[in-house]
Structures are given as structure tokens and as C-alpha cells.
Amino acid sequence: MLLKKIDDAAKETGLTKRAIRYYEQIGLIHVPERSDGGTRLYTETDIERLKKVVLAKEILGFSLQELQQFLDLHDTVDPKNGGPSSQDRAELEKVSDGIENQISMIEDKMARMQQFKDDLQELSDRVKQYLTAEENK
């Protein structure tokens, strides 16, 4: 198993080393292994979890509490962790609607972003036409 130092984890995720240490401190990520010298060593699974944190925070604007809930839910339904228990299933039924609402909000945001992108593309095309017309005078 390839282990990576915090510098490498930071580069791969776009996070600062300070943010990674903070996420570890508040429990968003698991405490990583350490070398004999005390250097944090991250697995590929740790890096993937950090990437999920970045996406949820940047794309969805999740708070730290929402990030924790998102990651806990992800862990609960992860087949690698054995899947949900009967207690977890009751909780999953409660959050299912919330997940669907999040998906709907993302789809709405994507549609608005696409419209804005289309508007910017149209503006860019007009500017290029103007510049081309000016060059041809």
C-alpha cells in the first residue's frame, strides 16, 4: 500500500496542510498512520475522502456539520463497511428525502449555471465579432 505525506495529500486535494490537520482534528477524516518520525501518512482512501470533502464544500457549500453528516452517511452505505445495519436503515429512511432535495437543488444550480455560461458565450462571441470587424476595417 502506497502511503503519502501530507504535502502530497495537500497537492492532490487542493487543501492546505493546515486544513487537512484541522479536518483530522474535528473528525472529518480518520487519524492517519504515522511514520517512525511522526510524519502523517495518508492512504489512497484517505485522499479520496479528502476529495469528497472538497467537492461537498466547494460545490454544495456544505458547512462543517453538513460535511460530517454527508461523510457519515457515505460511510454507512459503503459496502466496504458492511452496509447499513437495521438501526442505520431507519435513519436512512429519514435522510432519503433530504438527499433527493439536495439532488434537486444541484440540478437547479446546474441549469442556472448553464444559462449563465450560455450568456457568457454569447457575449464572448459578440466581442470576437466586434474585434474581427475592427481588424478588417
Side-chain angles (χ1 to χ4, degrees):
M1 172 179 13
L2 179 65
L3 298 173
K4 298 179 181 182
K5 293 182 180 179
I6 196 168
D7 288 330
D8 299 321
K11 286 176 189 170
E12 282 193 45
T13 61
L15 293 168
T16 63
K17 293 185 287 186
R18 183 177 180 180
I20 294 171
R21 287 189 293 267
Y22 180 66
Y23 289 166
E24 174 190 335
Q25 180 183 357
I26 64 172
L28 280 181
I29 62 170
H30 306 292
V31 177
E33 293 182 38
R34 293 200 182 240
S35 70
D36 292 337
T39 302
R40 287 172 169 84
L41 299 172
Y42 297 89
T43 65
E44 208 46 53
T45 302
D46 295 331
I47 303 288
E48 289 305 312
R49 187 171 179 95
L50 284 167
K51 288 178 181 179
K52 282 185 178 77
V53 167
V54 170
L55 283 174
K57 191 167 188 254
E58 288 181 0
I59 307 258
L60 302 175
F62 278 10
S63 67
L64 291 177
Q65 181 180 3
E66 290 169 323
L67 281 169
Q68 186 64 56
Q69 291 169 344
F70 168 76
L71 293 170
D72 288 347
L73 180 61
H74 190 274
D75 288 346
T76 297
V77 297
D78 190 339
K80 291 183 234 170
N81 296 334
S85 69
S86 57
Q87 274 185 327
D88 292 332
R89 289 181 192 280
E91 183 64 24
L92 289 175
E93 288 176 6
K94 291 179 187 176
V95 298
S96 179
D97 288 339
I99 293 170
E100 291 301 320
N101 287 338
Q102 287 288 338
I103 291 169
S104 179
M105 285 179 13
I106 291 168
E107 288 172 344
D108 290 344
K109 281 184 181 181
M110 289 171 60
R112 291 194 314 265
M113 290 175 75
Q114 183 63 49
Q115 179 60 51
F116 190 68
K117 178 186 172 202
D118 293 345
D119 291 347
L120 285 175
Q121 186 62 57
E122 183 181 321
L123 179 61
S124 175
D125 292 344
R126 283 188 299 193
V127 167
K128 287 176 185 173
Q129 284 178 339
Y130 174 79
L131 291 173
T132 301
E134 287 294 311
E135 287 175 1
N136 292 332
K137 284 187 179 178

